[in-house]
Amino acid sequence: MVRTLGVAVVGFGWMGRVHTQAYARVPHHFPGLSLRPELIAVADEVPGRAEEAAAQYGFAAAHRDWREVAADPRVQAVSIAAPNFLHREIGLAMAEAGKHIWIEKPVGLTAEDARAVSDAVTKAGVQGTVGFNYRGAPAVAAARELIASGEIGTVTHVRIRLFSDYAAHPEGALTWRYERERGGSGVLGDLASHGVDLARFLLGEIEALTADTAIFLPRRARPTGATAGHTRATGGELGPVENEDYVNCLLRFASGARGVLEACRVSVGEQNNYGFEVHGTKGAVFWDFRRMGELGVSRGTSYQDQPVSTVYVGPGDGEYAAFQPGSANSMGYDDLKVIEAHHFLRSIAENTPYGATLADAVHSAAALDAMSRSAERGTWVPLA
């Protein structure tokens, strides 16, 4: 029997829209799911934004204050797509109100924040799903199975990259993203958090790391009005960029494998260049987000001069079959959020976690904190 679940979205910038659209699409791609999301409320502090969202998407109520969502008994589950510095406060309040949460990474500014939200979810007995969307790509699921099967032998090393130009323009506005108190660790929380999650998802736990960070654009203009996404600002008062544009990190895994994780938000010429290269004693596997449905795979017994083949993922890989009937049909970013929404709703329906959880967020945040400490001290930092 299908039952209705009242959902709300807090924070209606681009990510809030993506969550809302994912809720709308879930029944079409996963018709066997026993829950159907109903859009009850949307909250955003920017004047008029919540009202526009309600008019466009059909939310029953629009609010400026997210606390009204926490107090609404019709809301049983909440998407938290607000800025990073609000994650802890909103996450705690929603969990304490008995609401399941789908929260965007990095779940606050520190590992302490992520752990607090995780503990609150556990104490309340609700489900918590985290927005590590790249692990949901069917090709990533296929790569994980390939690695686990031993087809490329024992993993020796991995390189994970997350390069983007969203902050490369010198006129990019000095929004909360560039402030330590509101944006946390900059590109570490924004992009490297995904890299840590991919590293753990593919290769297991990280034992220790050492990192170097940099700020390449040290000053930006303050915006004069409300912002969404990566707004440009000219003529405003210049202020300092307080958090990292770039991080380079060496990883040691519990398995004995080694890794390199590199992330940058000011890489001119790079648009969403995210991916990984995993090497083993018998082969390798390669993935590029911009060619999301493909894997480069090298396997066999040649070792030297062994070729790499392009493999197109298909209905047997991850959740691909919910979207396309045959291999090499394209999927997109928004499809990954539909997969996340499905995991979230299935977790609630079956009272069992599916997909990335708050425990994963805690592990990722702990690694980010360790990167910051390592960059300050110039030393290796162990991960407990």
Side-chain angles (χ1 to χ4, degrees), residues 95 98-100 119-127 351:
K99 304 183 192 304
H100 307 282
D119 289 346
V121 163
T122 300
K123 182 178 179 180
V126 296
Q127 295 296 321
N351 196 32

Side-chain angles (χ1 to χ4, degrees), residues 85-358:
F85 64 95
L86 295 172
H87 285 183
R88 177 171 179 161
E89 182 182 10
I90 298 174
L92 292 177
M94 296 303 173
E96 290 166 1
K99 304 183 192 304
H100 307 282
I101 64 172
W102 174 14
I103 185 168
E104 276 305 314
K105 54 82 205 167
V107 190
L109 304 179
T110 63
E112 181 184 351
D113 287 348
R115 194 171 292 110
V117 178
S118 180
D119 289 346
V121 163
T122 300
K123 182 178 179 180
V126 296
Q127 295 296 321
T129 296
V130 179
F132 288 127
N133 45 269
Y134 299 108
R135 66 156 60 190
V140 175
R144 189 186 194 211
E145 291 187 9
L146 187 74
I147 293 165
S149 72
E151 284 198 58
I152 66 169
T154 301
V155 173
T156 54
H157 57 102
V158 60
R159 185 168 76 98
I160 299 172
R161 68 186 184 282
L162 298 110
F163 298 146
S164 184
D165 64 357
Y166 69 79
H169 202 290
E171 294 179 358
L174 187 67
T175 65
W176 62 268
R177 294 179 182 277
Y178 304 101
E179 299 174 3
R180 183 70 63 182
E181 288 189 4
R182 297 197 297 166
S185 56
V187 77
L188 277 70
D190 193 17
L191 295 181
S193 58
H194 282 298
V196 172
D197 185 66
L198 283 173
R200 293 184 59 251
F201 187 69
L202 295 170
L203 273 66
E205 297 304 330
I206 300 167
E207 193 171 72
L209 59 80
T210 185
D212 184 31
T213 63
I215 298 174
F216 295 132
L217 294 177
R219 295 176 68 78
R220 294 178 182 272
R222 301 185 188 280
T224 55
T227 62
H230 306 292
T231 307
R232 292 185 191 176
T234 57
E237 178 187 357
L238 292 178
V241 172
E242 299 174 348
N243 54 27
E244 296 82 352
D245 287 329
Y246 171 85
V247 61
N248 183 28
C249 183
L250 300 180
L251 307 169
R252 291 177 182 164
F253 291 87
S255 66
R258 298 297 195 262
V260 177
L261 190 162
E262 191 176 13
C264 185
R265 64 188 181 187
V266 296
S267 296
V268 175
E270 302 280 14
Q271 297 86 40
N272 299 323
N273 182 359
Y274 310 150
F276 55 75
E277 303 155 11
V278 181
H279 293 267
T281 53
K282 293 167 52 180
V285 59
F286 311 89
W287 181 69
D288 186 330
F289 168 66
R290 298 165 301 178
R291 304 177 71 90
M292 193 166 71
E294 300 178 15
L295 283 177
V297 180
S298 179
R299 52 190 161 189
T301 57
S302 300
Y303 300 100
Q304 186 177 2
D305 299 327
Q306 185 163 286
V308 177
S309 300
T310 298
V311 176
Y312 296 102
V313 297
D317 300 309
E319 303 285 5
Y320 185 96
F323 298 87
Q324 300 294 349
S327 300
N329 283 292
S330 298
M331 290 177 61
Y333 176 89
D334 284 21
D335 296 327
L336 302 185
K337 303 308 279 191
V338 175
I339 292 171
E340 267 185 39
H342 171 243
H343 287 159
F344 179 45
L345 296 172
R346 187 181 178 191
S347 297
I348 297 168
E350 300 179 19
N351 196 32
T352 300
Y354 289 95
T357 66
L358 280 157

